[in-house]
Amino acid sequence: MRRTIVLLLAAASMAGAQGSVAQCEQQKHYGRLEEARKCYEALTFSNSAYLRAEGFWGLEMYQDANNQFKAAVATAPENADYRVRWGRLFYERWNKADAENLFKEALEIKPDHPGALLGLAMVLSEGFDAKAVEFAEKALKADPKLLEAQELLAKLAVEDVNFDKARKEAEKALAISPEALDAMAVLATLEVLADKSPDAWFAKIAKINPVYAEGYAYTAHSLILNRRYEDAIQYFEEALKKNPRYWEAHSELGITYMRMGREKAAREHLELAYENGFKDPATVNSLRLMDSYKNYETFRNGEAILRLHKKEADLLKLYFEPEMLRALSTYEKKYKVKLKGPVQLEVYPDHEDFAVRTMGMPGLGALGVTFGNIVAMDSPSGRKPGSFHWASTMWHELSHVYVLSATNHRVPRWFTEGLAVHEETAVSPEWGDRLDPVSLKAVKDKKLLPVTQLDRGFIRPAYPMQVIVSYFQAGKICDYITQRWGFQKILDMMHDFAGNTPTGNVIEKNLGLKPEQFDKEFLAWLDKQLATPLEKFEEWQKKMRGMAAAVKEARVDDIIKVGLEIRDWYPDYVEHGSTYEYLANAYLAKGDKKSAADEFERYAKAGGRDPSSLKKLAELQADLGRPKDAMATLDRLNYIYPVADPEMHKKMGELALGQGQVKVAVREFEAVLASKPLDPAASHYELAEALVKANEMDAARDHVISALETAPGFRPAQKLLLELTSKKEKR
Amino acid sequence: MRIAALIVSCAVSLQAATTYVTVAGLGGEPEYEQRFTSLAKDLDKLLKSSSPGARVETLYGPTATKAKLAEVLASVGKTSTAQDSLVLTLIGHGTYDGVEYKFNLPGPDVSSIELASMLDRIAGQQLVVNTTSASGACVPALKKEGRAIITATKGGTEKNATVFPRYWVEALRDTASDVDKNELISALEAYRYANEKTARFFETQKRIASEHAQIEDTGKGEPVREPSAENGEGLLAGRFVLLRIGTAQMAAASPEKRKLLERKEGLEQQIASLKYQRAAMPSEQYRKMLTELLVQLAQTQAELDK
């Protein structure tokens, strides 16, 4: 009873001292965190549920804040402001879906509610949605003094690499309020990105708010978007010096350390964030992923470090390690760059693990990502067979390692991506992505971006699939430069980018063309390259539909007639149901193995990747007495889907033995064993036989013993064991 | 000791008669009808060619009714002895309503209880390979000592058409399933082969596995996915000879070679015991001892083969 009275008295006294939300925010704005805390605490004793919600929120008591917002909205369902603030709470606590719903509900009550429009812009900006700018502008139109919307526009322009616009938007924010801290952070960031000193801006920020960690953290965040991870780490650390309780920065810093392979530091920061209630999905996923690292094995060979999942390490190492060494040695010579330190390649069999490794979040569309000298990529086992050329992805990512190193991470996205795409087909014309219908249509509809604006196509796509189109365009630009001016020009451009020179200047200096003229000449070249598919695409589509119907009805002669007519109209089309495969299968139905093999061969050379079609080709080639070609076909498959197919490796091992290529045979029989075959005894025995041919008698004996360990009565293995034992005794 | 018992069992199974009854149930749609019938025909061909002395009964199409199945099993029951073996393979759709499993046939379906009653009248060891959807639900009614049960699904709730039967037939065709290279494919070897291939199918197709095969052969346990000495499952299936793929050496034993055979059996037992002790000894010592025994075994076999 006595306790109740005391509490009531305390409440009455606090209510008397209670300020407004604006007052609390002002204390926070000036970095007076203790005063702000007291102010928020006082709000929790208010008679208004809404004010109590704001109070609890300010005290980081999120569940209580949520309950109070619920009560506030229940008592005043027509109050759009409450819904907007409640939405902002959800947004802050990583629940974008509920936040978005509340902003939309507020807009139903008041269609031009600036806060709701801003909230939607913020939600959209998280997904790099082009509509984020539109909503921020709408919010500003509804309330021209809405500082946060103006600051958001500046930040969005930074993301778009439109630094002039970013500066102007930030200056507009400063015109609204000379104490606009985030606008100052944007201006400081622009200086950092231009390799100039941001000190003046950070000093201004510190004068207003000495503990404003958010400013440094924003710069760090922007540096990450520009792939300057080491620099980002420094700014996160600065942010944490300002405010060690800024858990979001701990989380982001932890994820950045994780990206850079510094696991101890990553774990420290992530755990600190987590233990202090910052349990956003990125933090939780990253910690979970790091727990799973115990399931990985690390191999080092010279400057190549491979991290592979234990369940597939034995198999993938056979292919990934030599290919990685080949790529590193090729790039070192080609780019004339010597890397500082080894390169680490991490291969994830679960695509979502790779996504978390990259972004802290699942759902990433990419196949590989480079962080300085560290590359993370999907394993072939993490993708549908035939949908992924792992070697192509590896060469793509390793190109980034060299370009980022050579430019000190100061390179526009279009250039590094374009060069990486170019490299995929430079290794082998069969590698790399093919011309897809979306990119073809973009060329036809004149939707390619000017080279000086191409980065935007990667960052904030204006239409679905623009990212894909931008990769295609960037790759073609590098092909064009190489073809017209030679590869040395690419290297010269790379060195100029290292000096933070803008694209337009680099183009003009190295290629002697104004960017506009370059675009014009590039497009003319591209149109010429794609003349046939551009002209015939619609007709090709129509006839393909007819051919699909003929396939369904097994009208073999019709398939062959139409197939031969249209095959070369769009030779890059090697997706499921390609003309090549239709034709090959039609020939097979007629018993014409030679023509079928020819068509499958065209398919393979055009970049076709379907394992079953490639295996059919190998079989036909072997049947037609072309074992060397059959082996080459299966070798193609090793670069696409070497996993879960011991039969394929066995076949290739046999072909290699027949060709006298004992080293290849040994590798393939090792691959059979590493694929966990259903018949391990036979696999050990076959490997032993190959090792005998390779004159590796001790290893051969080991494997024949392993074969007999599983199947002691296995006669051929018994015979081989006796032979090897007798040879050993004679030695 | 366990090994010796196993060898005796194999010897007995070679002399006894094996009956194979395969039923392809109602497809419902032409695609399934064709698939089920084709698998049953493949199996029929395979069994007839590899086991010339065996009785092979295969039912498919409109004649694969409950009455016909009952008739065939009753006829098997009339001649069966305790040394005989029966392999009943069911291919098709199965249903489970939460209470009872039914195998879909033209006309009335057959329930697991009815099936159990038909099988209980047959003497000898039995293997039931139920490859249908929801087949896991048949185990409670069917399980019995001396009867091994393999199902394509882990219960009645896995209702999609199964891929397991395709790999079961493949297991009998592919000598790779004979993991211990004794030229006999046991029910356990075939199960492991089909189970692994089914799992790989879903893995490579990047699809969530809609079936999980299981086995129960003690008559009193719960079905398991991975039979082992630890869970006690797999002993009967391990000695249940499904198919002979070569000249089984035991059958070829002549009196003059009996001494060599005894030596061979002794060495096999020593190898088996050594493998059990593996964990408790240094790996180098294990490898050395294993090699010595394997060389001796190989030499003995070479003598036998002369």
Side-chain angles (χ1 to χ4, degrees):
Chain A
M1 187 65 183
R2 189 170 162 266
R3 193 166 173 269
T4 313
I5 292 164
V6 171
L7 279 175
L8 282 172
L9 284 171
S13 118
M14 292 296 259
Q18 177 186 304
S20 66
V21 176
Q23 280 171 329
C24 300
E25 281 173 351
Q26 201 175 25
Q27 300 284 19
K28 207 171 153 189
H29 175 75
Y30 290 116
R32 298 193 281 265
L33 299 183
E34 184 51 27
E35 287 83 345
R37 194 193 63 75
K38 283 180 188 161
C39 179
Y40 284 120
E41 192 171 24
L43 287 185
T44 62
F45 293 97
S46 163
N47 290 332
S48 150
Y50 162 67
L51 288 178
R52 286 197 299 274
E54 291 284 359
F56 284 123
W57 186 359
L59 294 175
E60 299 177 8
M61 295 165 72
Y62 303 106
Q63 195 52 52
D64 294 303
N66 182 46
N67 293 340
Q68 294 305 322
F69 271 126
K70 200 183 279 179
V73 167
T75 52
E78 292 307 310
N79 188 319
D81 294 344
Y82 289 177
R83 286 179 198 270
V84 170
R85 289 297 293 161
W86 194 10
R88 287 293 292 268
L89 173 69
F90 275 119
Y91 176 74
E92 190 181 306
R93 300 308 287 171
W94 325 295
N95 184 343
K96 282 193 285 178
D98 282 343
E100 191 176 345
N101 287 340
L102 281 159
F103 296 140
K104 284 180 178 165
E105 284 167 23
L107 286 175
E108 276 170 29
I109 298 165
K110 192 168 184 284
D112 62 344
H113 193 290
L117 291 165
L118 170 65
L120 281 178
M122 292 169 94
V123 169
L124 291 164
S125 74
E126 293 265 306
F128 295 93
D129 192 311
K131 284 196 166 176
V133 178
E134 188 186 318
F135 275 89
E137 282 169 347
K138 277 186 188 170
L140 213 49
K141 201 175 165 197
D143 177 2
K145 296 280 178 198
L146 190 62
L147 180 62
E148 261 191 296
Q150 186 58 59
E151 287 178 323
L152 179 62
L153 279 174
K155 288 178 180 176
L156 292 171
V158 174
E159 284 177 7
D160 284 346
V161 205
N162 194 343
F163 297 152
D164 289 342
K165 187 180 178 216
R167 190 175 297 280
K168 282 177 195 153
E169 299 291 1
E171 281 163 359
K172 282 189 210 167
L174 282 171
I176 296 171
S177 165
E179 290 189 352
L181 296 174
D182 281 357
M184 290 182 205
V186 166
L187 291 164
T189 301
L190 291 175
E191 299 300 315
V192 174
L193 292 174
D195 285 333
K196 292 177 186 163
S197 170
D199 292 353
W201 286 112
F202 282 121
K204 276 187 189 178
I205 292 172
K207 215 170 165 185
I208 299 162
N209 182 342
V211 294
Y212 196 67
E214 288 86 339
Y216 285 101
Y218 171 72
T219 303
H221 183 78
S222 303
L223 285 164
I224 285 172
L225 293 182
N226 285 275
R227 288 151 291 135
R228 287 169 58 177
Y229 305 103
E230 290 293 349
D231 295 342
I233 286 172
Q234 284 179 29
Y235 280 90
F236 277 130
E237 281 171 350
E238 281 303 313
L240 291 170
K241 275 185 209 159
K242 289 271 170 195
N243 181 4
R245 292 177 55 81
Y246 189 26
W247 310 123
E248 188 174 344
H250 280 290
S251 166
E252 277 203 76
L253 177 57
I255 291 168
T256 311
Y257 274 133
M258 181 180 78
R259 285 171 173 146
M260 304 305 287
R262 285 180 235 165
E263 280 146 32
K264 192 169 169 282
R267 191 176 276 283
E268 272 169 25
H269 285 280
L270 285 164
E271 282 178 350
L272 198 58
Y274 183 87
E275 281 157 14
N276 284 283
F278 196 84
K279 296 178 183 177
D280 70 321
T283 307
V284 176
N285 292 335
S286 302
L287 280 168
R288 207 169 279 158
L289 174 68
M290 289 176 74
D291 285 343
S292 77
Y293 280 172
K294 62 179 184 298
N295 301 323
Y296 286 78
E297 268 186 84
T298 304
F299 307 91
R300 180 159 184 170
N301 186 338
E303 293 301 282
I305 299 173
L306 254 183
R307 177 185 269 180
L308 303 169
H309 196 285
K310 281 179 184 167
K311 72 176 180 185
E312 57 186 19
D314 290 346
L315 176 66
L316 294 189
K317 186 171 178 278
L318 294 170
Y319 303 97
F320 274 63
E321 192 174 81
E323 200 56 30
M324 188 178 173
L325 290 167
R326 182 164 83 103
L328 293 180
S329 141
T330 305
Y331 284 143
E332 190 173 305
K333 287 184 205 113
K334 193 171 182 183
Y335 294 158
K336 297 169 187 152
V337 172
K338 182 95 184 152
L339 295 174
K340 290 175 208 149
V343 179
Q344 180 165 316
L345 180 79
E346 301 173 3
V347 184
Y348 291 87
D350 182 339
H351 174 73
E352 297 307 2
D353 279 348
F354 157 66
V356 170
R357 169 70 179 79
T358 307
M359 308 287 290
M361 294 291 286
L364 178 74
L367 307 166
V369 176
T370 302
F371 306 104
N373 277 22
I374 295 189
V375 173
M377 64 180 278
D378 272 330
S379 161
S381 65
R383 291 267 164 182
K384 205 169 176 190
S387 65
F388 174 52
H389 195 291
W390 67 263
S392 193
T393 298
M394 180 200 274
W395 279 76
H396 178 114
E397 297 304 329
L398 291 175
S399 162
H400 286 320
V401 172
Y402 282 84
V403 175
L404 290 174
S405 171
T407 59
N408 200 18
H409 295 237
R410 284 151 182 82
V411 59
R413 197 168 289 263
W414 76 265
F415 183 79
T416 182
E417 293 299 354
L419 183 50
V421 170
H422 166 82
E423 292 297 0
E424 292 178 34
T425 37
V427 190
S428 163
E430 292 175 14
W431 294 13
D433 286 337
R434 306 288 102 178
L435 170 68
D436 58 282
V438 179
S439 299
L440 187 62
K441 196 163 182 322
V443 176
K444 193 165 189 155
D445 297 347
K446 312 278 177 219
K447 278 187 162 180
L448 300 191
L449 290 167
V451 66
T452 52
Q453 292 171 35
L454 188 47
D455 269 12
R456 278 176 226 169
F458 290 94
I459 298 160
R460 199 176 306 286
Y463 57 89
M465 310 294 279
Q466 193 182 21
V467 175
I468 303 284
V469 174
S470 300
Y471 271 98
F472 162 77
Q473 183 184 349
K476 286 290 170 200
I477 288 177
C478 289
D479 290 347
Y480 174 58
I481 293 171
T482 308
Q483 204 181 95
R484 184 169 161 186
W485 288 279
F487 191 75
Q488 184 55 43
K489 283 290 172 199
I490 294 275
L491 296 185
D492 296 344
M493 289 171 77
M494 191 156 83
H495 292 129
D496 283 341
F497 282 126
N500 230 339
T501 316
T503 291
N505 299 5
V506 171
I507 295 263
E508 197 169 344
K509 182 188 160 198
N510 289 285
L511 308 180
L513 293 173
K514 293 267 183 209
E516 303 74 31
Q517 187 60 25
F518 173 83
D519 287 333
K520 212 173 141 188
E521 292 182 21
F522 163 68
L523 290 175
W525 172 84
L526 190 62
D527 281 347
K528 208 171 158 189
Q529 290 253 313
L530 306 179
T532 309
L534 281 170
E535 186 201 332
K536 296 282 192 182
F537 185 65
E538 272 83 22
E539 203 180 341
W540 176 86
Q541 271 186 313
K542 210 172 124 191
K543 295 222 170 188
M544 273 299 273
R545 279 195 286 272
M547 198 152 94
V551 168
K552 209 170 172 185
E553 291 155 21
R555 286 186 274 115
V556 175
D557 291 332
D558 288 349
I559 298 167
I560 293 173
K561 187 170 169 260
V562 181
L564 289 177
E565 185 191 356
I566 68 170
R567 182 190 62 208
D568 300 333
W569 289 358
Y570 186 4
D572 263 7
Y573 188 78
V574 287
E575 297 308 311
H576 178 66
S578 69
T579 325
Y580 306 105
E581 288 166 296
Y582 282 157
L583 272 169
N585 288 322
Y587 283 127
L588 278 181
K590 283 175 86 81
D592 184 352
K593 284 187 177 182
K594 193 188 167 298
S595 300
D598 288 347
E599 283 311 322
F600 276 132
E601 220 155 347
R602 280 193 188 92
Y603 168 76
K605 284 184 177 155
R609 296 172 183 178
D610 179 64
S612 59
S613 291
L614 293 175
K615 278 194 267 188
K616 262 191 212 171
L617 170 59
E619 209 178 306
L620 285 168
Q621 287 166 324
D623 285 355
L624 293 166
R626 295 162 52 196
K628 206 175 162 188
D629 293 335
M631 208 176 112
T633 299
L634 293 180
D635 200 33
R636 280 185 180 103
L637 206 44
N638 274 332
Y639 288 106
I640 298 166
Y641 198 74
V643 292
D645 200 348
E647 291 85 0
M648 186 269 284
H649 292 296
K650 185 177 173 198
K651 183 82 205 154
M652 186 163 167
E654 288 164 355
L655 285 165
L657 274 185
Q659 295 296 301
Q661 296 199 36
V662 284
K663 280 193 174 169
V664 175
V666 167
R667 182 194 70 195
E668 289 305 306
F669 287 120
E670 280 175 346
V672 175
L673 264 182
S675 303
K676 296 175 186 64
L678 291 159
D679 188 356
S683 304
H684 276 292
Y685 171 69
E686 281 154 356
L687 176 55
E689 277 194 311
L691 286 163
V692 168
K693 291 202 169 107
N695 210 23
E696 293 183 43
M697 299 302 178
D698 289 341
R701 196 159 180 269
D702 278 349
H703 281 286
V704 86
I705 288 166
S706 296
L708 289 166
E709 186 181 15
T710 309
F714 188 11
R715 307 263 185 101
Q718 286 180 333
K719 215 172 147 211
L720 185 56
L721 175 63
L722 291 179
E723 281 169 27
L724 290 170
T725 305
S726 142
K727 276 182 189 163
K728 197 181 177 190
E729 283 162 3
K730 282 179 195 161
R731 271 194 276 161
Chain B
M1 192 62 194
R2 187 168 161 265
I3 298 296
L6 232 155
I7 290 165
V8 172
S9 302
C10 284
V12 168
S13 70
L14 286 173
Q15 288 156 8
T18 303
T19 301
Y20 299 91
V21 178
T22 304
V23 190
L26 194 63
E29 291 169 30
E31 188 198 329
Y32 287 122
E33 199 73 47
Q34 198 216 347
R35 194 199 296 180
F36 299 156
T37 303
S38 157
L39 282 169
K41 282 183 177 172
D42 283 353
L43 195 53
D44 181 79
K45 201 171 156 192
L46 199 67
L47 294 170
K48 281 178 177 159
S49 63
S50 60
S51 314
R55 178 177 173 188
V56 181
E57 298 276 357
T58 305
L59 310 179
Y60 53 84
T63 58
T65 60
K66 180 174 159 183
K68 182 70 185 169
L69 174 63
E71 183 191 320
V72 169
L73 291 179
S75 113
V76 175
K78 275 180 196 161
T79 55
S80 64
T81 69
Q83 283 74 44
D84 292 342
S85 302
L86 168 71
V87 181
L88 173 65
T89 308
L90 307 179
I91 301 165
H93 295 305
T95 54
Y96 179 61
D97 59 7
V99 180
E100 196 174 36
Y101 166 84
K102 282 182 180 170
F103 176 44
N104 300 168
L105 291 167
D109 296 339
V110 62
S111 73
S112 49
I113 296 167
E114 289 166 331
L115 208 52
S117 146
M118 293 176 202
L119 290 170
D120 286 349
R121 290 174 205 156
I122 301 171
Q125 63 177 1
Q126 298 177 357
L127 169 69
V128 178
V129 188
N130 187 348
T131 69
T132 72
S133 44
S135 50
C138 77
V139 178
L142 287 180
K143 70 179 175 183
K144 187 189 172 194
E145 205 172 329
R147 183 182 294 152
I149 306 162
I150 289 169
T151 64
T153 77
K154 71 177 169 195
T157 52
E158 293 184 330
K159 292 179 176 174
N160 288 359
T162 55
V163 296
F164 183 84
R166 179 175 131 196
Y167 296 117
W168 177 261
V169 176
E170 196 180 299
L172 302 190
R173 196 185 292 130
D174 187 351
T175 52
S177 59
D178 177 23
V179 171
D180 62 7
K181 305 287 164 215
N182 65 353
E183 299 182 329
L184 302 169
I185 298 175
S186 71
L188 186 62
E189 284 175 328
Y191 168 76
R192 286 193 166 131
Y193 180 100
N195 187 29
E196 180 62 29
K197 282 258 180 164
T198 303
R200 277 188 198 172
F201 168 83
F202 286 103
E203 199 182 309
T204 53
Q205 294 296 310
K206 300 283 167 267
R207 281 164 53 184
I208 294 168
S210 55
E211 61 189 87
H212 299 84
Q214 55 175 14
I215 186 166
E216 202 295 308
D217 67 354
T218 63
K220 48 199 174 207
E222 287 305 314
V224 297
R225 272 184 69 66
E226 302 288 344
S228 66
E230 287 73 35
N231 58 38
E233 295 286 352
L235 192 61
L236 174 60
R239 66 174 191 240
F240 199 111
V241 179
L242 261 179
L243 217 59
R244 269 179 280 158
I245 53 173
T247 324
Q249 54 201 359
M250 297 300 290
S254 60
E256 63 270 23
K257 290 189 174 172
R258 196 162 299 280
K259 210 170 176 182
L260 278 170
L261 267 175
E262 278 169 13
R263 178 171 157 69
K264 182 175 166 259
E265 283 166 19
L267 285 165
E268 282 170 344
Q269 282 181 48
Q270 284 181 59
I271 291 166
S273 312
L274 182 68
K275 286 203 278 194
Y276 272 103
Q277 293 161 26
R278 183 182 186 165
M281 58 175 28
S283 60
E284 261 182 44
Q285 190 193 348
Y286 166 78
R287 197 74 177 171
K288 192 168 175 275
M289 288 173 75
L290 178 71
T291 306
E292 279 167 13
L293 287 170
L294 287 172
V295 170
Q296 287 176 45
L297 182 63
Q299 285 164 340
T300 310
Q301 185 63 54
E303 284 294 309
L304 267 167
D305 289 344
K306 272 182 192 166

